[in-house]
Amino acid sequence: MPDKSQSNIDKVLSNLAENEGAALERLFNFLRIPSVSTVSEFAPDCQKAAEWLAAQFEGLGFTASVRQTPGRPILVAHSDEAGPDAPRVLYYGHYDVQPADPEELWTSPAFEPVLVDGPVGKQIVARGAADDKGQVMIWIEAFRSWRAVMGKLPVRVTVLVEGEEETGSPSLKPFLKEYADELKADVAVISDGNMWDVESPSITTRLRGTVYTQIKLRTARCDLHSGLFGGVARNALNALTQLLGGLHDEQSRVQLPGFYDDVPELPDELARQWAALAFDEAALLSSFGLATPAGEVGRPALERLWSRPTADIHGIWGGYIGEGRKTVIPAEAQAKISFRVVAGQDPQRVVQCFRRFLDERRPADAQISLEVLGMEPGIEIPSDTRWMRAVRRALGDEYGKEAILGGCGGALPMVGALKGILGMDALLFSFGLDDDQVHSPNEKFELRCFRQGARAHARLLAELGRAV
Amino acid sequence: MPDKSQSNIDKVLSNLAENEGAALERLFNFLRIPSVSTVSEFAPDCQKAAEWLAAQFEGLGFTASVRQTPGRPILVAHSDEAGPDAPRVLYYGHYDVQPADPEELWTSPAFEPVLVDGPVGKQIVARGAADDKGQVMIWIEAFRSWRAVMGKLPVRVTVLVEGEEETGSPSLKPFLKEYADELKADVAVISDGNMWDVESPSITTRLRGTVYTQIKLRTARCDLHSGLFGGVARNALNALTQLLGGLHDEQSRVQLPGFYDDVPELPDELARQWAALAFDEAALLSSFGLATPAGEVGRPALERLWSRPTADIHGIWGGYIGEGRKTVIPAEAQAKISFRVVAGQDPQRVVQCFRRFLDERRPADAQISLEVLGMEPGIEIPSDTRWMRAVRRALGDEYGKEAILGGCGGALPMVGALKGILGMDALLFSFGLDDDQVHSPNEKFELRCFRQGARAHARLLAELGRAV
């Protein structure tokens, strides 16, 4: 048995290699669709991306449908050819991408994918190359080659690809509730994020959540002349910078009252495991043109990235930002501020902490309104299940070394929803790299990661078929 | 003699009253020209405004010409009908205006002037109504009525109306140097600013200058994902708010090293004079919807407005400011910041103080570039000259009370240039009010101020004619 399946998987891997050119063409077509979810004018492109995927799955013998939501549509597809006794696996991904701005910083247009030479081989450059279109196509190609060689998939597969991941997936939870019976599976598989490095596979067992807010600060009822009234009238920008300048102390600890109350310390064993990785923070920083670590002074880098909460200002605007000089005392200023939260922190309570921060430090004559644009809690995933063992074998065979049980600083709302609503664990293993510049100009996905990602997913199919 | 001139001035004042409707029509035509100087797309409108003025002065027997500069054109006109022995007076004003933005806050379009009812009578509402088109037209109308009644002006008049006052008058000094012989006069007259209140005339003997800067702060070489790298990568907006949040201490004293070194204390006599005005700061603040004074704690309001330097942030921008959420660590942020400076402070040295502030407080991994968009020193004007006495009489007769010798928080570059380049004093008396909302939406000029301003200027012509 092992030998036969071994030879089978080899055939599947060979088929992947033979068809890589065609696979890249398919990915490029997907990347050419500007399916930006944060800006409403791109809604038609999101619809188009979902329909493009539906066609892909129908071509693979799935029954596929594009389901409308209050926001962007969700693609659902099913394959039952493995028969009623085979386990059912839910594959999740997202077709939506971040805005391309600032577009002038792209070396080639964001939605015109190109192959360029990089330090570890060819790179696929386009918005969404790594986050997440490239990592959806790797398992689609694994399905394709498996079926080409073996005739049918070894497990029953349900696919859910959403279009609101970059906006906090507002429609996802209601959708999972409405279609719970249809979507329920034995386990979920997700590739959306980074691996440890191009040679070292990793499985994500913890994710930080997000509390995303926007504040507006008002002082006078209108803008005023800074010459005539400077020294008497309150300036909204002086006030806002004073307020937000106090978000962190000298140790870079977030100053929201009670912010750290529910933040658990990392278990010693995990702390040792992470320390053993000897993460080279200096190298990461220098790849960004930076030299000095930000975040809590005295904490190891991996804790600051994976198990500690943060506060970041994403955007700020107010006053006169046009050409030349305008001597005005602005009456209004706004900012987008988010907090990364970890398992244990209640997002609702973090909002209360921020309200207290704003109330206690509110400058004189400043009216502050707080809007919450989204909340997702932090998450931890159990690392020793039969399914997790299957993923470890698949990754171990592909890369010739044990997969790292790590964390991810970013949120994946789907993981929490799967557990909470469908009672399913998620197998989170991804193939992006830290320098892929997701959410930034010139996002890329290494061709090598695309190739080995597809191979690892093919190996997982074999393991899952065995794992009954 | 006194009696005759007295009856003459009465005739001139009557003529002003009879022609007020036509005068308002002329002002409205002037206000309809959107001569914004800070944004280059309005350059043609600045040319149009200068040409419109040239036609006005030609109609008054002046020789007028529109002179081109590297920036906006300057209108120059001469009237010598008073004869070679009459004193020569230089009238200065500016036809350029501030941008209308935020336009959505205007109750009527900024460049479609309207007469509306206000607490002290009709108000002229339009961008530039008070700053400075309305206050240029008052002396033009005084010329017109004087000539209608008396046949010719009592003094030789030179007129200079520039179009770069709102951008720091970059072309003015070179122009004054080039045409020094042509522009030289016995004294200058300027109406551009505010009077004490609608019933109390004032003469401005001190003006604050400006040091206007723009800074750019860079951290990483590109924007980064705040989930993947939050807690490790420096955030340009966290850094900028931290930096600018420290511009003032708890006493609202500007924290630039050495900023106050050359700031003189107010002479006791003047301090007493100003204290006697019993300035109602609370009323001014509440007219803006404010309750708590800004500026140096413990200083009287008029000192904070007239004789103390300040720091104001006029605009800030950076990161994602579009619709919805973008979880980005911005790599760049910018701000416009200016300092009001007083006589005694060297603008160059204030820039050095700001550089020191930025260097000493520079956050780790932050590269900061500083651009100086303009510098004008603070100014003091001697208050006891024959010309100043003439203005005091004219204002005293019109308003039935002594003019206040006050200050103005805003800069008038022309005043310093006149003294420095042509060796002339400026007679600075204006007719705007504190609530005119210059530089803000819904700028207005009281019809009563327009009327009495024209009458005061007619009276000044009589006094200047006597003052030979």
Side-chain angles (χ1 to χ4, degrees):
Chain A
M1 265 288 282
D3 290 333
K4 181 170 177 304
S5 79
Q6 189 57 28
S7 67
N8 288 339
I9 185 62
D10 286 343
K11 290 188 206 132
V12 174
L13 299 180
S14 305
N15 184 278
L16 274 172
E18 290 151 15
N19 294 283
E20 188 173 83
L24 280 174
E25 253 325 297
R26 285 185 284 267
L27 172 58
F28 279 26
N29 288 334
F30 194 18
L31 290 170
R32 289 189 185 101
I33 306 170
S35 44
V36 175
S37 56
T38 60
V39 186
S40 34
E41 64 180 289
F42 292 102
D45 299 293
C46 291
Q47 175 71 26
K48 191 177 166 194
E51 286 166 359
W52 185 89
L53 283 170
Q56 293 295 310
F57 287 106
E58 279 158 1
L60 294 171
F62 285 62
T63 58
S65 60
V66 174
R67 315 275 178 94
Q68 295 310 316
T69 75
R72 306 291 173 265
I74 292 176
L75 176 284
V76 175
H78 298 288
S79 167
D80 293 321
E81 61 193 9
D85 300 334
R88 176 174 294 285
V89 181
L90 172 66
Y91 284 77
Y92 163 85
H94 65 90
Y95 63 75
D96 64 318
V97 298
Q98 284 273 326
D101 75 292
E103 294 183 43
E104 65 275 15
L105 297 187
W106 285 76
T107 53
S108 58
F111 297 106
E112 295 173 22
V114 290
L115 264 187
V116 304
D117 291 314
V120 295
K122 297 279 186 191
Q123 301 177 331
I124 302 155
V125 176
R127 168 60 81 230
D131 179 18
D132 178 39
K133 289 174 174 175
Q135 299 199 59
V136 166
M137 291 310 289
I138 56 178
W139 43 265
I140 291 180
E141 297 303 337
F143 293 166
R144 192 186 313 276
S145 288
W146 183 282
R147 294 184 80 251
V149 172
M150 313 287 291
K152 63 187 179 74
L153 293 173
V155 292
R156 292 181 295 166
V157 172
T158 293
V159 168
L160 188 157
V161 185
E162 69 156 317
E164 299 179 343
E165 196 275 341
E166 302 294 359
T167 59
S169 304
S171 306
L172 189 60
K173 284 184 179 179
F175 189 87
L176 291 181
K177 286 175 185 147
E178 182 175 355
Y179 298 99
D181 295 342
E182 175 184 355
L183 298 173
K184 186 98 185 64
D186 295 290
V187 72
V189 171
I190 302 177
S191 290
D192 181 17
N194 296 355
M195 57 196 298
W196 178 250
D197 63 35
V198 72
E199 291 173 330
S200 310
S202 52
I203 305 171
T204 305
T205 58
R206 48 176 63 211
L207 295 153
R208 289 194 295 193
T210 313
V211 173
Y212 202 110
T213 69
Q214 185 165 322
I215 65 171
K216 178 187 289 188
L217 187 151
R218 269 205 79 84
T219 48
R221 61 171 170 73
C222 66
D223 291 351
L224 297 166
H225 188 300
S226 69
L228 297 180
F229 304 114
V232 164
R234 192 74 43 179
N235 178 320
L237 281 175
N238 289 13
L240 184 65
T241 52
Q242 213 158 29
L243 187 68
L244 296 184
L247 262 180
H248 299 84
D249 66 9
E250 318 68 43
Q251 303 300 302
S252 294
R253 282 176 61 87
V254 178
Q255 293 303 289
L256 275 48
F259 184 68
Y260 293 101
D261 290 355
D262 305 321
V263 177
E265 282 300 325
L266 195 64
D268 295 347
E269 193 200 346
L270 207 49
R272 275 192 298 276
Q273 203 180 96
W274 290 1
L277 295 174
F279 174 63
D280 187 347
E281 183 175 24
L284 174 64
L285 287 173
S286 79
S287 74
F288 301 144
L290 300 173
T292 313
E296 293 174 88
V297 174
R299 293 273 181 184
L302 290 185
E303 284 193 36
R304 278 180 276 123
L305 285 171
W306 292 345
S307 65
R308 300 295 299 177
T310 61
D312 272 297
I313 305 171
H314 303 296
I316 207 170
W317 63 104
Y320 182 69
I321 63 177
E323 178 187 357
R325 323 193 313 174
K326 187 179 181 188
T327 51
V328 66
I329 298 177
E332 185 174 287
Q334 300 190 68
K336 292 175 188 275
I337 303 146
S338 87
F339 305 91
R340 292 284 159 177
V341 295
V342 299
Q345 283 183 297
D346 171 8
Q348 292 284 8
R349 189 171 172 282
V350 170
V351 171
Q352 290 161 12
C353 294
F354 191 34
R355 283 192 196 285
R356 254 189 74 193
F357 172 89
L358 295 175
D359 293 343
E360 291 176 1
R361 302 191 181 216
R362 192 173 61 82
D365 280 339
Q367 301 151 36
I368 303 174
S369 60
L370 169 64
E371 187 184 359
V372 177
L373 299 186
M375 289 188 291
E376 305 89 41
I379 286 163
E380 269 183 59
I381 302 159
S383 57
D384 188 38
T385 62
R386 56 191 281 209
W387 309 109
M388 192 65 88
R389 285 192 292 273
V391 176
R392 287 178 174 174
R393 281 195 300 268
L395 290 172
D397 291 348
E398 175 59 27
Y399 288 90
K401 57 163 76 168
E402 272 299 314
I404 295 154
L405 297 185
C408 170
L412 270 179
M414 180 62 172
V415 180
L418 285 172
K419 190 70 180 175
I421 298 167
L422 302 182
M424 299 165 58
D425 285 338
L427 308 175
L428 260 175
F429 56 102
S430 306
F431 300 90
L433 300 179
D434 287 345
D435 67 354
D436 283 347
Q437 301 188 190
V438 295
H439 294 212
S440 301
N442 305 314
E443 174 179 354
K444 59 90 177 170
F445 190 36
E446 297 291 341
L447 176 57
R448 176 170 168 184
C449 293
F450 176 75
R451 181 179 299 139
Q452 289 196 276
R455 289 167 56 88
H457 271 286
R459 294 180 187 277
L460 178 62
L461 284 173
E463 298 295 339
L464 291 173
R466 261 205 291 273
V468 185
Chain B
M1 264 288 280
D3 290 334
K4 184 171 173 305
S5 78
Q6 189 57 25
S7 68
N8 288 339
I9 184 61
D10 286 343
K11 292 189 205 131
V12 174
L13 298 181
S14 306
N15 183 278
L16 274 171
E18 291 151 16
N19 294 284
E20 188 173 82
L24 279 174
E25 253 325 296
R26 286 184 284 267
L27 172 58
F28 278 28
N29 288 334
F30 194 19
L31 291 170
R32 291 188 184 101
I33 306 171
S35 43
V36 175
S37 56
T38 59
V39 185
S40 34
E41 65 180 288
F42 293 102
D45 300 292
C46 291
Q47 174 72 25
K48 191 176 165 197
E51 285 166 359
W52 185 89
L53 283 170
Q56 292 295 309
F57 287 106
E58 278 159 2
L60 294 171
F62 285 62
T63 57
S65 60
V66 174
R67 315 275 178 95
Q68 296 309 317
T69 75
R72 305 292 172 267
I74 293 177
L75 176 283
V76 176
H78 297 288
S79 166
D80 293 321
E81 61 193 7
D85 301 333
R88 176 175 293 284
V89 181
L90 173 66
Y91 284 76
Y92 162 85
H94 64 91
Y95 63 75
D96 64 318
V97 298
Q98 284 273 326
D101 76 291
E103 293 183 44
E104 66 275 14
L105 297 187
W106 284 76
T107 53
S108 58
F111 297 106
E112 295 173 21
V114 289
L115 266 186
V116 304
D117 290 313
V120 295
K122 297 280 185 190
Q123 301 177 332
I124 302 154
V125 176
R127 167 61 81 230
D131 180 18
D132 179 41
K133 288 174 174 176
Q135 299 200 59
V136 166
M137 291 310 289
I138 56 177
W139 45 264
I140 291 179
E141 296 304 336
F143 294 165
R144 192 186 314 277
S145 288
W146 184 281
R147 295 184 80 250
V149 172
M150 314 287 290
K152 63 187 181 76
L153 293 173
V155 290
R156 291 181 296 166
V157 173
T158 293
V159 168
L160 187 157
V161 185
E162 68 157 318
E164 299 179 344
E165 196 275 341
E166 302 295 0
T167 59
S169 303
S171 305
L172 190 60
K173 286 184 178 179
F175 190 87
L176 291 180
K177 285 176 185 146
E178 182 175 357
Y179 298 100
D181 295 340
E182 177 185 353
L183 298 172
K184 184 99 186 62
D186 296 290
V187 71
V189 171
I190 303 176
S191 291
D192 181 17
N194 296 356
M195 58 195 298
W196 178 250
D197 62 36
V198 72
E199 290 174 333
S200 310
S202 51
I203 305 170
T204 305
T205 58
R206 49 175 64 210
L207 294 152
R208 288 193 295 192
T210 313
V211 173
Y212 202 110
T213 69
Q214 185 165 320
I215 65 172
K216 179 187 289 189
L217 187 151
R218 270 204 77 85
T219 47
R221 62 170 169 73
C222 66
D223 291 351
L224 297 167
H225 189 300
S226 68
L228 298 180
F229 305 114
V232 163
R234 192 74 42 178
N235 178 320
L237 281 175
N238 289 12
L240 183 65
T241 52
Q242 212 158 28
L243 186 69
L244 296 184
L247 261 180
H248 299 85
D249 67 8
E250 318 68 41
Q251 304 300 302
S252 294
R253 282 176 61 85
V254 178
Q255 293 303 290
L256 274 51
F259 184 68
Y260 293 100
D261 289 356
D262 306 320
V263 178
E265 282 300 326
L266 196 63
D268 295 347
E269 193 199 347
L270 207 50
R272 275 192 298 275
Q273 204 180 94
W274 290 1
L277 294 174
F279 174 63
D280 188 347
E281 183 176 24
L284 174 64
L285 287 173
S286 78
S287 74
F288 301 144
L290 300 173
T292 313
E296 293 174 89
V297 174
R299 294 273 179 182
L302 290 185
E303 285 193 36
R304 278 180 275 124
L305 285 171
W306 292 346
S307 65
R308 300 296 298 179
T310 62
D312 271 298
I313 305 171
H314 303 297
I316 281 193
W317 62 106
Y320 181 69
I321 63 178
E323 179 187 358
R325 322 194 314 175
K326 187 179 181 189
T327 50
V328 67
I329 298 177
E332 184 175 288
Q334 299 190 68
K336 292 175 189 276
I337 304 147
S338 88
F339 305 91
R340 292 285 159 176
V341 295
V342 299
Q345 285 183 295
D346 171 8
Q348 294 282 9
R349 189 171 172 284
V350 169
V351 172
Q352 290 161 12
C353 294
F354 192 33
R355 284 193 197 284
R356 255 189 74 193
F357 172 88
L358 295 175
D359 292 343
E360 292 176 359
R361 302 191 181 217
R362 192 172 62 80
D365 280 338
Q367 301 150 35
I368 304 174
S369 59
L370 169 64
E371 186 185 1
V372 178
L373 299 186
M375 288 189 290
E376 304 89 42
I379 285 164
E380 270 183 59
I381 303 159
S383 57
D384 188 37
T385 62
R386 56 190 281 206
W387 310 108
M388 194 64 90
R389 285 191 292 275
V391 177
R392 286 176 173 175
R393 281 195 300 268
L395 290 172
D397 291 347
E398 175 59 28
Y399 288 90
K401 57 163 77 167
E402 272 299 312
I404 296 154
L405 298 185
C408 170
L412 270 178
M414 181 62 172
V415 180
L418 285 171
K419 190 69 179 176
I421 298 166
L422 303 182
M424 299 164 58
D425 285 337
L427 308 174
L428 260 175
F429 55 101
S430 307
F431 300 90
L433 300 180
D434 288 344
D435 67 354
D436 284 345
Q437 302 190 188
V438 295
H439 293 211
S440 301
N442 305 313
E443 175 179 354
K444 58 90 178 170
F445 190 37
E446 297 291 341
L447 176 57
R448 177 170 166 184
C449 293
F450 177 75
R451 181 179 300 140
Q452 289 196 277
R455 288 170 56 89
H457 271 285
R459 293 180 187 277
L460 178 61
L461 285 173
E463 297 294 339
L464 291 173
R466 261 207 292 273
V468 186

